[in-house]
Amino acid sequence: MLTAHGLCWLCQMPLTLVHWGVCSRCARAVSSRLPVCPRCGLPAAGGQTDCGRCLQKAPPWQSLVAVNDYGPPLSTLVKTWKFNARPELACALARLLLLRLQQGIGRQKPDRLLAVPLWQRRHWRRGYNQADLLCRPLSRWLGIGYQPEAIHRVRPTATQHQLSARLRKQNLKNAFRLEFPVHGLHIALVDDVVTTGSTVAELSRLLLQNGAASVQVWCLCRTL
């Protein structure tokens, strides 16, 4: 899937490499962010070690990688991709995540990529699962196996952004089922936006309870 007319999705200037979707200048601007905790992905002074929040109560996953906060221009691209039926944006967004991942020297390379699933009716209405569209090129570029049907959402849940943090946790209880053996595997869980982290926390616990060696969270945006 190529960007129409070979223009950058953000500045509308011609692209030297059409399949990039976002020019190198805009990619640098989108990826520029303040230091964050490598565990939870929230702002932290140094950005090299776990923050005070994680030392007191760490999330169930072992690390979180995000391109940036959920703010423009990145949030504009994500909204267009998800809600305006523009699946062709997936490759450009996946490349932004790849560039961020390449900055994490020494990070454990996962054995499998898993996409956060959508409820089947929401998937049908949208026409695609955005996390799945991120996983496919990342799997190819990084040489990591991807299991598209590894996790199923077994019941519908209310839209997360409409709920409080407490209700988000209740909303997701027993909402997922694992369909793939993960014992001993290092897993990267991929989603588009992580807000409170309730969804990826529930999935991380499920994976670890089934024997996964570790869980990383990869996303485009981490709401701060």
Side-chain angles (χ1 to χ4, degrees):
M1 294 182 286
L2 302 180
T3 302
H5 312 302
L7 302 180
C8 173
W9 280 96
L10 290 172
C11 68
Q12 298 299 303
M13 293 297 289
L15 292 165
T16 303
L17 297 174
V18 174
H19 60 279
W20 280 12
V22 175
C23 71
S24 56
R25 182 175 181 178
C26 287
R28 285 192 298 270
V30 163
S31 300
S32 177
R33 67 182 318 207
L34 297 173
V36 295
C37 171
R39 180 88 184 239
C40 67
L42 295 174
Q48 301 299 318
T49 58
D50 288 4
C51 66
R53 293 175 296 264
C54 290
L55 292 176
Q56 290 184 350
K57 186 178 180 181
W61 63 80
Q62 279 64 55
S63 66
L64 185 147
V65 180
V67 176
N68 212 330
D69 180 25
Y70 190 68
L74 183 57
S75 61
T76 304
L77 284 179
V78 172
K79 289 176 183 176
T80 300
W81 177 44
K82 290 174 63 174
F83 304 120
N84 291 358
R86 301 307 296 264
E88 64 270 26
L89 258 168
C91 193
L93 291 167
R95 178 177 169 272
L96 293 176
L97 182 51
L98 175 67
L99 294 174
R100 175 63 74 191
L101 291 166
Q102 290 174 337
Q103 298 173 10
I105 305 300
R107 185 182 296 113
Q108 170 71 48
K109 182 178 180 179
D111 301 305
R112 292 290 186 278
L113 301 184
L114 302 183
V116 172
L118 288 177
W119 174 240
Q120 56 188 5
R121 182 170 296 177
R122 192 172 301 161
H123 191 158
W124 175 77
R125 286 177 177 171
R126 184 169 296 164
Y128 51 88
N129 175 5
Q130 63 275 9
D132 170 71
L133 294 189
L134 290 176
C135 282
R136 292 181 184 277
L138 287 172
S139 172
R140 185 173 67 255
W141 296 335
L142 295 170
I144 301 172
Y146 169 46
Q147 302 294 141
E149 303 297 328
I151 305 172
H152 280 161
R153 194 179 286 256
V154 296
R155 64 176 177 81
T157 54
T159 303
Q160 286 289 90
H161 69 260
Q162 298 175 346
L163 304 176
S164 67
R166 181 179 61 84
L167 291 177
R168 285 172 188 239
K169 294 179 181 179
Q170 297 176 359
N171 184 46
L172 293 165
K173 189 174 181 180
N174 300 320
F176 303 102
R177 183 176 66 238
L178 189 60
E179 305 284 2
F180 175 76
V182 297
H183 185 79
L185 297 180
H186 297 279
I187 303 296
L189 191 58
V190 180
D191 204 0
D192 58 334
V193 179
V194 172
T195 307
T196 65
S198 298
T199 301
V200 289
E202 182 71 16
L203 288 170
S204 296
R205 283 189 285 267
L206 177 64
L207 292 166
L208 293 169
Q209 287 167 4
N210 281 271
S214 69
V215 178
Q216 302 175 43
V217 176
W218 296 356
C219 60
L220 297 173
C221 301
R222 172 59 157 131
T223 300
L224 305 184

